[in-house]
Amino acid sequence: MAQIIVVTSGKGGVGKTTSSAAIATGLALKGHKTVVVDFDIGLRNLDLIMGCERRVVYDFVNVINGEANLNQALIKDKRTPNLFVLPASQTRDKDALTKEGVGRVLENLGKDFEYIICDSPAGIETGAMMALYFADTAIVTTNPEVSSVRDSDRILGMLQSKSKRAEEGLAPVNEYLLLTRYSPARVATGEMLSVADVEEILAIPLLGVIPESQAVLKASNSGIPVIIDQESDAGKAYSDAVARLTGEEVEMRFVNEEKKGFLKRIFGS
Amino acid sequence: MQKPSLELKGSSFTLSVIHINHTDLAAVANELDSKLAIAPQFFIGAPLVVNLGAITDANYNLAGLKDLLISRQLVIVGVTSAPTALIKQAKALGLAIIKSGKQSETQPQLPKTTKIVRQNVRSGQQIYAQNGDLIIVGAVGNGAEVIADGSIHIYGNLRGKAMAGANGDKNAVIIAQSLDAELVSIAGQYWLTENLQAHATSKSGCIRLAGDALTAETLSL
């Protein structure tokens, strides 16, 4: 049985797609056969982050409607073996997703893959509901600021009441917190919520803290998931998160402000 | 303006009820006579309601009973608790079908039920404990609502809205381990965050009604 993981947040722009791409790539790098599915119908972005935008022929909606089969729509990643992308349709809207259709596609993917990463659109409407409905695990991507935290709380409520597992009375969805765009320096000055603040409000286990990093924007623009860039803090932090997701014990990094060394203080960074 | 020729007004009277426990008319007549012999003046012309609750025989001789009672100078105004089979017979004899106060109270009081929620109540969720208390083992997030007809107990942080005594119970209370509520309300009286901050001196506490005003009590939880 494949594990279905939804990357969700409620709020937009917090890093769902960046995280989906990084985590899917990370799992594939660990040797797990992984597919990442873009649920953001009409606002397709995942293909850009994954650097496969020129190779999209058929998409998720085509497969749901039976206009193409899965093998025609799945794009094999050029960099990472074991990694596939199922792109969203750019010309349709979220209503093209039906519970039956999505369920059928995920079931078929489950026969071939170990991990299915669902990149959820923002909001709490059809698209987001479809992305989280079938999930076994949810990675709630949150920025350390109040509106994002509240929206994450709302999504956690949805996971507890509207998911398939909740409706059928099965074991609840595993919920993990992924804190993105974290800046220890700004936490120290009181401009940003701390990891402890967010953990206290959301009360779910912490999967990882991704520091605010220039590398993320660079990676997005060049279509290379940031986890590939192991020089960057963000890349390392995503690797840690993936390790934790697969059950490894890894110490949290990038949570506290780095003490700048003497030379660094003089020459800057 | 002329007074109308008739007026309909409700009024209540105390009537004696005679319970018939036996179908045998002769036996009833015997016992009735001995009772009447004790206080003959008391019963003459007295209006009576006949309780037929103990009679199960559908072919019971109600006409015979009526004649028996009339012959003893009793006035029968109606029957009560009659089994459905006898109601038709009573109507045919011109007797009123009377429901006693106890019988007409058809809505039995529902037992109080306590609702226990063993998880965090998330933003956007609403939980209502009808006709009872609500116990939350967990936090109530911003934008979440917990409502109870009875009291609300929160073993966690209350950051959302809590409304106790939703159908008017003024004795209801709200108890929380930490009161950072957006709104607390008891039987319609409410406080917003700023009122709460002005009144509640400690984090954990109990909100209740004192007269018509809310008041906060410190509890060491």
Side-chain angles (χ1 to χ4, degrees):
Chain A
M1 265 298 281
Q3 198 184 355
I4 302 177
I5 301 174
V6 61
V7 179
T8 185
S9 71
K11 196 176 185 316
V14 295
K16 284 181 297 298
T17 303
T18 301
S19 299
S20 298
I23 289 167
T25 307
L27 287 167
L29 286 172
K30 279 180 165 292
H32 302 289
K33 198 173 179 196
T34 305
V35 59
V36 52
V37 184
D38 192 350
F39 275 77
D40 206 347
I41 311 297
L43 291 167
R44 187 173 81 199
N45 281 164
L46 181 68
D47 53 325
L48 291 169
I49 310 290
M50 295 291 294
C52 62
E53 72 275 11
R54 293 175 195 284
R55 295 161 61 207
V56 176
V57 182
Y58 292 107
D59 59 52
F60 193 13
V61 174
N62 293 137
V63 179
I64 287 175
N65 293 343
E67 294 150 7
N69 64 39
L70 261 180
N71 291 331
Q72 289 174 295
L74 282 173
I75 303 171
K76 190 176 185 320
D77 193 84
K78 279 188 171 163
R79 257 172 268 108
T80 317
N82 302 320
L83 182 59
F84 290 79
V85 180
L86 182 56
S89 169
Q90 183 69 349
T91 51
R92 310 292 282 272
D93 61 38
K94 309 283 192 276
D95 297 328
L97 298 176
T98 59
K99 222 176 248 186
E100 297 73 35
V102 173
R104 202 172 55 238
V105 173
L106 291 181
E107 198 189 318
N108 286 333
L109 286 171
K111 291 172 190 162
D112 277 340
F113 291 91
E114 281 177 73
Y115 287 99
I116 302 169
I117 311 294
C118 303
D119 178 23
S120 170
I124 51 169
E125 287 80 27
T126 319
M129 287 300 110
M130 287 300 145
L132 69 76
Y133 185 74
F134 296 94
D136 302 308
T137 297
I139 296 175
V140 180
T141 313
T142 307
N143 287 170
E145 49 100 13
V146 285
S147 59
S148 175
V149 172
R150 179 177 294 189
D151 291 358
S152 294
D153 198 38
R154 180 94 170 104
I155 278 290
L156 285 165
M158 295 285 191
L159 282 161
Q160 282 162 11
S161 58
K162 298 277 167 66
S163 64
K164 183 166 182 258
R165 282 174 171 270
E167 281 182 5
E168 294 181 0
L170 304 170
V173 178
N174 288 317
E175 296 153 344
Y176 293 111
L177 172 64
L178 184 67
L179 206 53
T180 52
R181 308 196 69 166
Y182 193 73
S183 166
R186 297 184 69 188
V187 173
T189 58
E191 290 171 56
M192 202 178 252
L193 294 176
S194 70
V195 177
D197 291 339
V198 181
E199 273 190 297
E200 202 233 316
I201 297 171
L202 296 181
I204 53 171
L206 184 64
L207 184 70
V209 177
I210 313 298
E212 174 83 72
S213 167
Q214 305 285 338
V216 174
L217 184 63
K218 198 177 84 191
S220 297
N221 285 336
S222 53
I224 303 165
V226 71
I227 199 168
I228 302 272
D229 180 4
Q230 281 297 317
E231 297 292 304
S232 68
D233 288 355
K236 290 179 204 163
Y238 273 118
S239 294
D240 290 357
V242 170
R244 288 185 202 107
L245 192 62
T246 52
E248 290 173 43
E249 294 264 343
V250 185
E251 209 184 322
M252 285 288 166
R253 290 194 273 180
F254 317 111
V255 174
N256 297 312
E257 199 175 357
E258 207 179 306
K259 295 273 182 290
K260 280 189 178 171
F262 174 70
L263 285 174
K264 241 185 176 177
R265 246 185 290 167
I266 292 174
F267 299 108
S269 58
Chain B
M1 202 177 145
Q2 215 190 342
K3 219 179 172 188
S5 55
L6 64 88
E7 282 177 277
L8 268 177
K9 286 181 179 174
S11 199
S12 57
F13 302 91
T14 306
L15 292 171
S16 296
V17 179
I18 179 167
H19 290 257
I20 306 296
N21 295 330
H22 212 282
T23 47
D24 183 5
L25 280 181
V28 169
N30 265 337
E31 280 183 45
L32 184 62
D33 286 338
S34 56
K35 278 222 187 306
L36 290 179
I38 301 167
Q41 295 304 315
F42 185 77
F43 287 104
I44 288 174
L48 276 183
V49 175
V50 182
N51 188 312
L52 295 172
I55 307 298
T56 47
D57 182 5
N59 298 316
Y60 180 68
N61 186 4
L62 194 56
L65 179 71
K66 188 190 172 192
D67 291 341
L68 169 71
L69 296 176
I70 287 171
S71 71
R72 302 304 196 272
Q73 289 186 295
L74 299 171
V75 181
I76 305 174
V77 293
V79 297
T80 186
S81 301
T84 27
L86 286 178
I87 285 178
K88 210 174 161 189
Q89 222 191 112
K91 279 183 181 163
L93 290 168
L95 296 175
I97 310 297
I98 300 169
K99 277 187 177 166
S100 75
K102 276 179 199 162
Q103 264 180 293
S104 61
E105 212 175 280
T106 46
Q107 274 191 320
Q109 270 222 305
L110 287 168
K112 264 193 148 193
T113 48
T114 302
K115 187 169 195 168
I116 304 178
V117 176
R118 290 181 192 280
Q119 62 182 32
N120 286 4
V121 184
R122 304 285 184 181
S123 184
Q125 287 183 318
Q126 194 181 50
I127 291 181
Y128 174 40
Q130 197 176 17
N131 195 42
D133 293 349
L134 177 58
I135 296 173
I136 313 272
V137 185
V140 177
N142 281 102
E145 283 181 20
V146 289
I147 307 163
D149 288 343
S151 299
I152 299 176
H153 306 253
I154 299 163
Y155 297 91
N157 204 325
L158 170 60
R159 299 189 199 90
K161 297 181 182 175
M163 285 159 263
N167 60 7
D169 179 4
K170 292 191 170 184
N171 293 318
V173 297
I174 297 170
I175 294 174
Q177 223 162 37
S178 179
L179 283 165
D180 300 314
E182 291 169 348
L183 178 144
V184 287
S185 143
I186 292 169
Q189 299 294 322
Y190 68 91
W191 272 351
L192 295 175
T193 315
E194 47 207 56
N195 311 107
L196 191 64
Q197 281 167 351
H199 289 84
T201 47
S202 74
K203 281 287 228 179
S204 68
C206 165
I207 306 289
R208 60 180 179 83
L209 268 183
D212 270 344
L214 289 179
T215 172
E217 269 173 30
T218 303
L219 288 182
S220 47
L221 291 177

